Amino acid sequence: MSRAGSVVAAIALGSVVAVSAPAQASVPADGSDGGCGKWTSSVVTTGAGMLENLEFDGSGSMVLSQAALIGPGALLKVAPDGTRTTLVGDVTGPGGLVARDGSVYFTTGNSTVSGLFGIADGSLRKVDVADGSVTTIADGLVMPNGLVPLDGNRFLTARTLTRPGLTVIDSDGTSSIVREDLGTVDGLARSGSTIYVTTTFDMVTAVHVLDAHDLGGPVRTITLPGFGPANMADDLTVGPDGALYVAFNAGGKVVRVDPDSGSSCEIASGLPFTSAVKFGAGPGWDPNSLYTTGFLGDVHRLERVAGSTS
């Protein structure tokens, strides 16, 4: 959701931090599996600051975007045992993350002020996982939030506030807005030639479905239950089962969505300010487990109970 979303969430954040222990995910309150099967939760690491996003670098580390309400954030590396180190320090408004060819691409300038006032202080950068060197790919971006790769070494990013829309970053570092008609766009995920986009502050929570080769073309929209601002759909990912897994930030839960039928169910709740979700990848990380980040600084691992159906 970025720090844009965190402004809304921060109204409640201080009181939640003061009274809550590390969040524990649960099945829906009625004890049913809601059609999602049963999942369990465990804590990978806690106390990591305001976490915006996560990615797996493929070489054994989870990478986290650590944001801050005031001042710079950082990119953190987490080992499978939960040990944390800093990958890149002094990053202002880190947002989406994409791992590719030994590097992790990340956005900066994903801040409320930049989004509200159209300040083009954002960038796309990449860090070499092996030596920690950072290269700027593009700058002059306004509040780049979600991030996915496109063909031809291009990227797609989302801006959530004031003039919400999608921007393509070309391989030469130039950028262009491709559409501004999808609402308060936030999270991005790709599967094959399909792009999925969540909305955060609209009255109805939606996942828009686009063709990666025709981003300005027809859109199919999946609407999800609940009042949009009370859900605050944030980032999302595509699971090994082909389903979408969507983080509900204000809703404090993770929802599984069938991209064909549009049906949805809840796999975990009790996770305040959940910001991003991703299935494990690389040594030490279970590819069938879903990992979550949140603004309270916790990373959780969600595992489907053996024999549980969806």
Side-chain angles (χ1 to χ4, degrees):
M1 181 187 306
S2 86
R3 291 196 295 175
S6 75
V7 167
V8 178
I11 296 173
L13 182 58
S15 60
V16 173
V17 171
V19 300
S20 64
Q24 292 297 316
S26 62
V27 297
D30 63 4
S32 69
D33 64 22
C36 274
K38 297 189 185 301
W39 296 67
T40 60
S41 171
S42 58
V43 175
V44 175
T45 192
T46 188
M50 182 180 288
L51 300 179
E52 166 64 24
N53 216 310
L54 79 157
E55 175 65 296
F56 294 91
D57 67 9
S59 62
S61 292
M62 173 193 289
V63 178
L64 304 175
S65 293
Q66 182 195 63
L69 286 175
I70 299 174
L75 297 190
L76 305 179
K77 288 175 63 175
V78 181
D81 65 2
T83 303
R84 296 194 303 269
T85 56
T86 298
L87 177 60
V88 183
D90 196 23
V91 181
T92 300
L97 301 167
V98 169
R100 173 184 276 183
D101 300 329
S103 295
V104 174
Y105 292 77
F106 61 101
T107 62
T108 74
N110 180 30
S111 71
T112 303
V113 171
S114 295
L116 287 174
F117 296 100
I119 301 170
D121 60 351
S123 68
L124 174 65
R125 303 177 187 177
K126 71 173 181 178
V127 55
D128 186 293
V129 173
D131 63 19
S133 60
V134 177
T135 304
T136 298
I137 306 300
D139 53 21
L141 304 174
V142 178
M143 193 196 165
N145 194 344
L147 184 70
V148 290
L150 298 174
D151 297 344
N153 203 30
R154 300 177 303 140
F155 290 85
L156 182 69
T157 188
R159 172 181 171 180
T160 309
L161 291 180
T162 304
R163 288 184 59 189
L166 301 178
T167 297
V168 170
I169 303 169
D170 289 319
S171 58
D172 63 359
T174 59
S175 62
S176 58
I177 297 171
V178 290
R179 62 190 315 156
E180 296 180 314
D181 60 341
L182 299 178
T184 55
V185 291
D186 191 323
L188 295 170
R190 179 174 181 174
S191 177
S193 62
T194 303
I195 302 287
Y196 299 99
V197 186
T198 59
T199 63
T200 296
F201 300 116
D202 293 8
M203 293 300 102
V204 175
T205 298
V207 176
H208 298 301
V209 186
L210 311 178
D211 183 343
H213 304 298
D214 185 17
L215 292 170
V219 178
R220 179 169 64 91
T221 298
I222 302 169
T223 58
L224 301 181
F227 179 52
N231 290 335
M232 284 191 194
D234 207 327
D235 206 12
L236 79 166
T237 194
V238 182
D241 56 357
L244 307 179
Y245 292 80
V246 184
F248 277 20
N249 194 294
K253 59 187 178 182
V254 178
V255 174
R256 179 184 183 272
V257 182
D258 185 313
D260 296 321
S261 69
S263 62
S264 62
C265 54
E266 181 181 307
I267 73 166
S269 59
L271 297 172
F273 307 116
T274 305
S275 54
V277 288
K278 193 69 64 72
F279 281 86
W285 302 98
D286 180 7
N288 294 307
S289 289
L290 186 66
Y291 296 84
T292 75
T293 54
F295 289 167
L296 298 187
D298 303 328
V299 176
H300 283 82
R301 175 184 178 184
L302 305 179
E303 301 174 80
R304 189 191 297 274
V305 176
S308 180
T309 59
S310 58

